[in-house]
């Protein structure tokens, strides 16, 4: 870590100045040792500038409604906002850069910046060249100053263009913004530039300018060997006439949306929901947390068709209850592990996970067996990587201890790799740890998990697979009360911000909290900051819903990315498998605010799911209270954006097989403000770490606004290969019905073998020391009561809490027994058999083998 002589870190502005000064003085053909030193200094400068944000509002692709004022049109012969767009005016600095242009960049590479006579017009052009590259990039940007950087307006969009020729496929138009509070910072990559021997024009539209932004800087990034020569830059404001969306419902519906409970019941006790690439939904139950089904070997799944509301029951080969699942790059669903056995009646053995693994084919609606995993993993994570591989961590082994074995599914070999071919830290990540893929290929453990406490340390961390290190990340509030919280990579994925919502702890069973936390993974040393408190709704404590009070929040909540760029959070409960909370709200990533909306009328606690359908609605299923019952009702939410009049329509699409770095043309029936890819859901237990919203910057035809080129990221870590829902969204935030597209898997990546992904130097200065692999071990100890249920009572499908809510106790043991039995009765448990001789909760003081019988409570 670089320090000044006084031992203090230089300010971000100082870093940026040092980086620019060193870059400017580095001659062409710099030797490797000098270049590395230069690169390190420059990297720090760019990382600081790219991350100088503390309270700024990003996620601008989410801007709708009041910020996007209407259908947008290119300015007719508008003024060019760029100073010195053709480099004809020389600069006064020693670096030889033209007036109002500066050098930037980072990494280990040899580079040069030259003003050349090879101009598109006039006499000068600017050439950026890399002759050697290990990592990083070099950028020619508009000078980040009030004198040079164009002024912009909040909520507006701008058309950017330049003329260029290129000998490398590794170049992009990159955009920075000036926040009035936090200063200059990276905004987004807008467009990948194709190879071009002669001059051609590249144009692209910015996202809507976020609040607090007064200026922007942009230019070309070169991140592969070769050169890019540019000339004749232009920037024009896009006119935004007001638009008044037509409300097609009541005022209440148009503000808050509507819920519908479907008349047909879900035929299976599904706790896993996967939206397939044909628009149908795979609902996996396995034994459905039903010991009778398990004993009978009856395992179930169903496929739901939103088009006609029908269900088709699917033969299911194994107990996939509490397995992991993820869509592979070809659209098949990889299902890993599941339930080998329920806890023993005496509570000495907990749940057990098997090694079995299957793939589900959406075309044939059948499961087929893969090779086995290396270990059992009941409740495993599942994260698809940028090359199509899948990483899995955590869960319970076949002996019900904790698995410390990391697993890797090879996309190239279509199988699980032997453990000797997978990096191992021997870490126990817990159950369903939320592992989110970062833009540089590392994994961010958000702190969301299932059951009990989080992992040791700060509760959140970055895992670097290549270096095989784990580095703690600070700031997560109440890390041991984030059990069954929800975490989501906020829209757009390019912003690299994560939101974590609510949670509790089934071991200690406090009231679930209202906490939310936000982290910006673009920061050099990212840390969670406090988000707004969750809104409160009503909670059913056993006598019907009543308003939440104090700090009451929820666990078991769901978070769903919506095509207008907001996040729907819904469902939840106050305690371990009890006391449903009825509250739904929309989170705005631009304003960092929650807005309460219409509430799902059905309880959605443990084993519930919520997910986006291709038509823009949200479906919710399931609820499995501690008494072992199941809610088979299904709800559909119509968000407010579907009640604002006619929807835009994608009238044509230039193929559904897309490559990274592509420009893909669509036509629409009217102007749109943005478009994005949303990865379909694969959700269980509040967890869907692969859910993401990927912005597609627009290039709008100047003569026909209904003809639009969509610019696809070249970074597979931002959008892992697979099938996505493509939405076109108008200025009022109204989305089209989705079209399905496939984003380049391994064959497509091979076609671009000469191209690189533009990876940024984010999260590169983590202050916590990296933890190397621990000593090799077989497993981690996990108590049989990990699920928060005392197995001395009832069947394994019933959960008598090991810790009752704080309000359920009396002044004497007899009074406590009476209060606990009253709580169980209120929550529908009924008579419970006592398993064995032990009665740790004192529910059978008369010793007749029936908990909470007449003789047990009559004395209190």
């Amino acid at each position: 870590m670089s320090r000044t002589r006084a031992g203090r870190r230089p300010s971000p502005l100082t870093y940026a100045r040092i980086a620019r000064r060193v870059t400017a003085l580095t001659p062409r053909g710099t030797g490797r040792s000098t270049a590395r030193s230069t690169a390190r200094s420059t990297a720090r400068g760019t990382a600081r500038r790219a991350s100088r944000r503390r309270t700024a509002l990003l996620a601008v692709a989410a801007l709708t409604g009041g910020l996007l004022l209407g259908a947008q049109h290119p300015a007719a012969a508008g003024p060019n906002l760029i100073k010195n767009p053709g480099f004809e005016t020389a600069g006064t600095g020693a670096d030889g850069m033209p007036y109002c242009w500066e050098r930037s960049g980072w990494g280990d590479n040899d580079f040069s910046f030259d003003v050349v006579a090879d101009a598109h017009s006039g006499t000068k052009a600017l050439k950026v060249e890399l002759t050697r590259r290990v990592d990083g990039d070099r950028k020619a940007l508009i000078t980040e100053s009030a004198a040079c950087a164009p002024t912009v307006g909040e909520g507006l969009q701008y058309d950017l263009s330049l003329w260029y020729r290129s000998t490398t496929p590794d170049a992009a138009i990159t955009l920075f913004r000036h926040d009035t509070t936090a200063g200059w910072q990276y905004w987004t990559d807008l467009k990948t530039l194709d190879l071009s021997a002669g001059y051609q024009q590249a144009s692209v539209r910015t996202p809507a300018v976020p609040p607090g932004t007064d200026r922007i800087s942009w230019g070309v990034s070169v991140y592969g060997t070769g050169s890019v020569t540019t000339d004749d830059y232009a920037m024009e404001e896009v006119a935004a006439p007001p638009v008044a969306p037509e409300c097609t419902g009541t005022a209440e519906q148009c503000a808050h949306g509507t819920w519908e409970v479907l008349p047909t019941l879900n035929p299976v006790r599904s706790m896993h929901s996967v939206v397939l690439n044909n628009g149908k939904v795979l609902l996996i139950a396995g034994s459905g947390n039903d010991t009778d089904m398990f004993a009978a070997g009856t395992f179930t799944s169903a496929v739901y068709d939103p088009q006609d509301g029908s269900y088709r029951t699917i033969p299911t080969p194994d107990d996939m209850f509490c397995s992991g699942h993820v869509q592979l790059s070809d659209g098949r669903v990889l299902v890993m592990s599941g339930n080998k056995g329920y806890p023993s009646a005496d509570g000495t053995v907990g749940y057990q996970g098997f090694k079995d693994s299957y793939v589900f084919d959406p075309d044939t609606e059948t499961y087929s067996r893969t090779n086995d995993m290396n270990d059992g993993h009941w409740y495993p994570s599942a994260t698809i990587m940028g090359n199509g591989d899948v990483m899995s961590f955590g869960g319970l082994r076949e002996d019900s201890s904790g698995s410390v074995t990391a697993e890797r599914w090879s996309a190239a070999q279509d199988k699980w790799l032997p453990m000797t071919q997978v990096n191992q830290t021997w870490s126990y990540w817990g159950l369903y740890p939320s592992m989110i893929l970062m833009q540089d290929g590392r994994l961010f453990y958000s702190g969301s998990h299932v059951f009990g406490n989080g992992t040791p340390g700060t509760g959140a961390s970055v895992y670097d697979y290549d270096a095989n290190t784990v580095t703690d990340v600070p700031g997560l509030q109440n890390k041991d009360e984030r059990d069954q919280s929800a975490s989501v990579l906020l829209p757009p994925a390019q912003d690299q911000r994560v939101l974590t919502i609510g949670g509790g702890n089934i071991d200690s069973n406090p009231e679930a909290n209202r906490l939310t936390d936000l982290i910006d993974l673009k920061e050099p040393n990212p840390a969670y900051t406090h988000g707004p408190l969750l809104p409160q709704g009503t909670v059913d404590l056993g006598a019907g819903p009543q308003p939440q009070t104090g700090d009451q929040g929820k666990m078991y909540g769901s978070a769903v990315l919506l095509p207008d760029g907001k996040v729907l959070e819904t469902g939840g409960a106050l305690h371990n498998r009890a006391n449903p909370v009825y509250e739904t709200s929309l989170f705005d990533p631009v304003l960092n605010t929650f807005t309460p909306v219409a509430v799902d009328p059905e309880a959605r606690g443990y084993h519930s799911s919520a997910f986006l359908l291709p038509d823009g609605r949200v479906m919710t299923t399931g609820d499995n209270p501690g008494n072992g019952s199941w809610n088979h009702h299904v709800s559909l939410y119509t968000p407010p954006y579907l009640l604002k009049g006619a929807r835009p329509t994608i009238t044509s699409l230039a193929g559904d097989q897309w490559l990274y770095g592509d420009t893909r043309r669509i036509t629409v029936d009217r102007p749109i403000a943005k478009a994005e890819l949303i990865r379909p859901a694969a959700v269980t237990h509040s967890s869907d770490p692969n859910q993401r919203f990927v912005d597609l910057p627009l290039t709008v035809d100047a003569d026909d606004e209904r003809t639009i080129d969509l610019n696809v990221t070249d970074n597979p870590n931002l959008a892992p290969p697979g099938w996505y829902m493509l939405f076109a969204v108008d200025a009022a935030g109204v989305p089209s019905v989705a079209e399905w597209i496939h984003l380049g898997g391994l064959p497509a990546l091979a076609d671009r073998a000469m191209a690189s992904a533009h990876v940024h130097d984010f999260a590169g200065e983590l202050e916590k020391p990296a933890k190397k692999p621990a000593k090799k071990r077989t497993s981690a100890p996990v108590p049989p009561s990990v699920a928060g249920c005392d197995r001395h009572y009832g069947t394994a499908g019933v959960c008598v809490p090991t810790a009752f809510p704080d309000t359920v106790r009396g002044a004497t043991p007899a009074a406590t027994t009476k209060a606990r039995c009253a709580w169980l009765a209120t929550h529908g448990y009924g008579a419970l058999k006592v398993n064995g001789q032990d009665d740790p909760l004192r529910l059978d003081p008369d010793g007749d083998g029936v908990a909470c019988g007449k003789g047990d409570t009559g004395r209190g």
Side-chain angles (χ1 to χ4, degrees), residues 344-350 400 784 791:
S344 61
D346 61 4
T348 58
V349 178
S400 79
R791 300 301 176 188

Side-chain angles (χ1 to χ4, degrees), residues 809-824:
R809 60 172 176 261
T812 65
T816 296
T817 295
K818 186 172 184 179
R820 287 176 172 175
C821 289
W823 187 93
L824 291 169

Side-chain angles (χ1 to χ4, degrees), residues 595-679:
T595 300
V597 293
V599 176
D600 188 346
E602 295 292 326
R604 302 293 180 203
Y606 187 56
H607 286 156
S608 66
S609 296
F611 45 90
L612 178 70
L613 296 175
D615 65 5
R617 294 179 299 171
V618 174
M619 180 172 170
T620 63
T621 69
D623 179 50
N624 186 195
N627 60 26
S629 63
W630 186 272
N631 184 355
H632 286 271
H633 289 283
V634 173
S635 302
L636 284 178
Y637 178 60
T638 298
Y641 54 60
L642 294 182
L643 298 167
K644 293 182 178 179
R647 306 175 68 166
T649 300
I650 299 173
T651 54
S652 71
L653 177 66
D656 63 0
Q657 299 293 316
W658 292 14
L659 308 184
Y660 292 102
D662 252 357
T663 298
R664 284 289 175 156
R665 177 157 293 182
I666 63 169
T667 60
V668 290
D669 64 341
R670 66 173 190 268
I672 62 171
K674 64 181 176 181
E676 73 271 347
L677 300 177
I678 297 183
R679 192 171 184 90

Side-chain angles (χ1 to χ4, degrees), residues 266 268-273 284-285 287-290 320-323 342 351 378-379 432 450-451 484 555-558 577 603-610 620-626 628-631 683-686 787 796-797:
N266 182 351
V268 301
R269 293 165 60 107
S270 60
M271 55 200 66
H272 307 272
S273 303
I284 303 174
S287 64
N289 202 17
D290 185 326
M320 297 175 182
F321 159 53
C322 295
S323 59
Y342 282 84
Y351 284 100
W378 186 75
Y379 278 60
Y432 284 137
V450 172
F451 296 161
Q484 293 177 100
M555 58 198 300
Y556 310 120
S558 293
R577 296 182 64 180
R604 302 293 180 203
Y606 187 56
H607 286 156
S608 66
S609 296
T620 63
T621 69
D623 179 50
N624 186 195
S629 63
W630 186 272
N631 184 355
V683 60
T684 186
H685 292 77
S686 304

